[in-house]
Amino acid sequence: MTATEPILAVEDLGVHFSTESGDVHAVQGVSLSVAPGETLALVGESGSGKSTVALAAMGLLSPNATVTGSAVVDGHQVVGAGETALRALRGRTVSMVFQEPATALDPLTRVGAQIAEVIRNHRQVSAADAAARAVDLLRRVGIPAPEDRAKAFPFQLSGGQRQRVVIAMAIANEPALLIADEPTTALDVTVQAEILELLRALAADTGTGVLLVTHNMGVVADFADRVAVMLHGSIVETGGVEDVLLRPQHEYTERLLAAVPRLETAASAQDAAESATHRPDRRRLEVTEASPDRAPDGRPDTPPVVDLRDVSVTFGRGTRAVHALRGIDVQVHAGETVGLVGESGSGKSTAARVALGLVRPSAGSVRLFGSDLRRTRGRDRRALRSGIGVVLQDPVASLDPRMSVGECIAEPLAVHRRGTSSADRRRRVDEVLDAVRLPRALASRAPRELSGGQRQRVSLARALVLDPRLLVADEPTSALDVSVQEAVLEVLTELQGELGFACLFVSHDLAVVQQFAERVVVMRAGAVEEQGPTGSTLLHPTTDYTRRLLAAVPVPDPVVQRQRRADRLASLAAVTS
């Protein structure tokens, strides 16, 4: 292959799947290319065929897939190639970062050993050298204490840390082509920025081409050279990143960009206030003082639905003890959404699990619906839990693969004996499928047959099926494209208005939190860094940590994002100098 030839060349690619209900044409006539050192972003709604194109380029489609056309990687034809030839390519010439780390990591093998195995599969190195290289890779992707983390199992890491392990595995052999399917979905904004810098350096130093599959337009603006927009299995627009994001030609691209949540800053909020054409955010961003129904700190003057007071959580003992929470206070009131934000490992998900009664605090008190959760047992505890809906970060881990979608959604009804007949339960399943904008026909399908975004919406439907008083949402929109994310948040808003449930919203997407939450709690290293009304806290942060979080958020404007990245790197350089 010459330097002028693309590292990936896809020509007239077609993919259809044979299913019990007939053939499904997922990709039709797709042509694209990636040059050495170039990043092509493939964007579009969930189910548009983005991930199918990526899997076809790796030769990883399921046996019921029929592929036509051509996909050439570094001079090697993938379509029609045998498994032996494909195995030689994967991990060495082409690597992939999958959307869901739970599917890419062996739960029974330590993460360092998994990375070392990838290295030794393609390089003649000793076990000791591969293990040392694994530790170095963990350090490069920003995992703290990499020597210790290399000995950990995947379940002992946070969702963001697991995704960083997957990225370390993918870049272990410095491949010619890296296919990244939502590589930063599970990462907080500061680690996301660091990973993008790492991938950018990899492309520059080694000439690695990157096919980036993502729904995050901020990441596209920050990282991509070119953009291809997919709709219903076909490419409807392609061009340079500035042309597509700033001057879109197709009305579908315009709709996608209009749905992108945009982080407000103090300056942009002022500009918006002066602009008559500005589309207001769904939530009020300027709530900075007490109103008649709120206390001076922005909390409603009503008893909280969930009340964490001076809660600490410590895992392990002695020198191996991990202080996951350090005396935090968090309250959520009926009809209110409180956003928990912070870096991966800051304690956000642990705080949510304490509220659910899944983690017992080492100190402090937890009250749920006015009852002391630590003192509640048996039937009373079960009754309390029936008032909680949960959306977990990883939809694969929360849906039973042996059940149909409809059975997964209906399971809480059966567990808590809601609905007098199977017909009643089917009717309720149809209602919540409608609420999360999924066709009722999906009820008969298996979770594995759905896209990542569709599975996340099924998880949301399952959480809402009992009409909860409290919804605990751990990264509920992380797997959703921007238009579906907007629709789901609108649905949540409508249902919250109708049902009045409280929502504890755990997220690393500060733009979404800013639009969706009335109050925000910023966490760092297990402690509350600052909290208050969303407007005052995110528009006018009082701590350097919150300011750094906000500075790391990519915006969907390539020109503005280029300057934000330069400012951020200059600020980091000033701190370390």
Side-chain angles (χ1 to χ4, degrees):
M1 189 188 78
T2 67
T4 58
E5 291 180 336
I7 201 69
L8 171 66
V10 175
E11 295 289 341
D12 196 28
L13 184 71
V15 179
H16 73 265
F17 295 93
S18 299
T19 70
E20 293 180 357
S21 55
D23 284 355
V24 176
H25 294 274
V27 172
Q28 305 173 61
V30 166
S31 296
L32 55 85
S33 64
V34 180
E38 179 188 46
T39 296
L40 172 68
L42 199 55
V43 303
E45 291 180 298
S46 179
S48 64
K50 309 185 300 297
S51 293
T52 301
V53 171
L55 291 171
M58 288 282 289
L60 287 175
L61 292 171
S62 58
N64 66 329
T66 299
V67 186
T68 59
S70 172
V72 178
V73 177
D74 198 23
H76 302 276
Q77 176 62 258
V78 174
V79 176
E83 188 59 32
T84 301
L86 291 174
R87 196 178 296 117
L89 282 177
R90 297 176 193 140
R92 176 63 174 177
T93 303
V94 55
S95 290
M96 189 166 186
V97 179
F98 291 93
Q99 180 177 359
E100 292 158 345
T103 64
L105 296 174
D106 183 345
L108 302 179
T109 303
R110 300 179 193 276
V111 297
Q114 295 190 54
I115 299 172
E117 181 183 14
V118 171
I119 297 170
R120 299 194 73 194
N121 281 344
H122 297 280
R123 295 175 183 263
Q124 296 296 320
V125 297
S126 67
D129 288 344
R133 170 69 172 158
V135 171
D136 182 60
L137 284 163
L138 291 175
R139 182 179 294 108
R140 287 183 66 192
V141 297
I143 289 185
E147 293 85 357
D148 294 332
R149 288 292 185 260
K151 302 171 186 175
F153 292 97
F155 72 86
Q156 295 174 304
L157 305 181
S158 69
Q161 289 172 333
R162 285 194 294 268
Q163 188 69 310
R164 280 179 273 176
V165 170
V166 171
I167 293 171
M169 293 171 66
I171 67 173
N173 292 306
E174 297 185 350
L177 174 67
L178 179 66
I179 299 176
D181 189 352
E182 304 288 1
T184 60
T185 290
L187 304 180
D188 60 75
V189 289
T190 53
V191 176
Q192 173 179 269
E194 292 166 3
I195 291 299
L196 292 179
E197 288 298 331
L198 172 64
L199 295 179
R200 189 179 290 109
L202 180 71
D205 295 343
T206 67
T208 297
V210 180
L211 178 62
L212 173 69
V213 179
T214 185
H215 61 258
N216 190 323
M217 294 299 183
V219 169
V220 172
D222 191 35
F223 187 52
D225 301 302
R226 292 189 299 117
V227 183
V229 183
M230 289 194 69
L231 173 66
H232 301 321
S234 300
I235 292 178
V236 296
E237 181 169 359
T238 186
V241 64
E242 290 188 19
D243 289 332
V244 174
L245 296 192
L246 300 181
R247 295 173 291 276
Q249 300 300 306
H250 198 279
E251 58 90 19
Y252 173 69
T253 309
E254 293 178 344
R255 289 204 313 271
L256 274 183
L257 292 171
V260 175
R262 297 171 188 267
L263 182 72
E264 292 275 11
T265 63
S268 63
Q270 180 63 33
D271 292 341
E274 296 171 356
S275 173
T277 60
H278 174 71
R279 184 185 66 176
D281 285 324
R282 191 182 59 77
R283 297 285 189 178
R284 298 172 296 169
L285 294 182
E286 294 298 337
V287 180
T288 57
E289 297 181 0
S291 58
D293 60 341
R294 287 182 177 266
D297 61 359
R299 294 182 177 90
D301 281 331
T302 57
V305 170
V306 59
D307 188 357
L308 277 58
R309 299 278 181 176
D310 197 25
V311 168
S312 296
V313 173
T314 301
F315 298 112
R317 297 180 179 179
T319 58
R320 303 176 70 91
V322 176
H323 300 285
L325 295 179
R326 303 170 184 265
I328 69 166
D329 290 333
V330 176
Q331 291 80 43
V332 190
H333 299 256
E336 179 190 43
T337 297
V338 173
L340 278 181
V341 304
E343 293 175 301
S344 179
S346 64
K348 307 186 301 293
S349 294
T350 301
R353 287 175 170 83
V354 169
L356 291 168
L358 298 178
V359 172
R360 186 178 181 86
S362 308
S365 67
V366 181
R367 300 189 70 84
L368 183 63
F369 312 133
S371 299
D372 188 337
L373 194 57
R374 299 181 71 174
R375 297 176 180 273
T376 308
R377 297 288 185 273
R379 184 177 301 174
D380 291 338
R381 190 179 183 90
R382 181 173 173 176
L384 286 178
R385 285 183 167 173
S386 71
I388 306 175
V390 184
V391 183
L392 298 177
Q393 180 177 355
D394 188 348
V396 169
S398 61
L399 300 176
D400 190 331
R402 299 166 298 180
M403 292 182 174
S404 68
V405 166
E407 289 170 338
C408 287
I409 296 173
E411 186 180 23
L413 296 172
V415 169
H416 294 285
R417 299 180 178 87
R418 302 280 186 90
T420 56
S421 67
S422 58
D424 289 338
R425 292 171 183 168
R426 282 197 301 270
R427 192 158 39 247
R428 179 57 181 156
V429 168
D430 288 343
E431 290 173 357
V432 292
L433 283 173
D434 292 341
V436 298
R437 311 288 199 270
L438 284 176
R440 296 182 177 185
L442 292 187
S444 61
R445 295 172 65 178
R448 67 177 179 277
E449 297 179 279
L450 308 186
S451 69
Q454 289 172 326
R455 284 194 292 267
Q456 191 72 306
R457 280 181 280 171
V458 170
S459 296
L460 179 57
R462 175 185 166 95
L464 295 175
V465 75
L466 289 174
D467 291 329
R469 296 173 61 189
L470 170 66
L471 180 70
V472 177
D474 190 350
E475 303 287 0
T477 61
S478 63
L480 304 182
D481 59 75
V482 290
S483 57
V484 176
Q485 173 179 267
E486 183 181 52
V488 168
L489 291 178
E490 287 177 356
V491 168
L492 274 174
T493 303
E494 293 170 4
L495 292 173
Q496 191 176 40
E498 294 172 8
L499 303 175
F501 59 78
C503 182
L504 183 60
F505 192 86
V506 181
S507 181
H508 62 257
D509 192 329
L510 296 181
V512 169
V513 169
Q514 191 180 61
Q515 290 190 14
F516 187 59
E518 287 91 357
R519 290 193 300 113
V520 62
V521 178
V522 182
M523 296 191 65
R524 180 187 186 188
V528 173
E529 186 80 0
E530 65 176 300
Q531 65 175 301
T534 302
S536 58
T537 304
L538 296 186
L539 288 181
H540 308 287
T542 60
T543 69
D544 289 339
Y545 176 72
T546 305
R547 283 189 281 269
R548 288 200 304 272
L549 283 181
L550 293 167
V553 177
V555 298
D557 183 319
V559 177
V560 174
Q561 179 55 29
R562 194 176 302 125
Q563 185 60 51
R564 282 174 61 86
R565 184 171 69 244
D567 292 344
R568 177 178 176 274
L569 293 176
S571 176
L572 290 174
V575 170
T576 56
S577 64

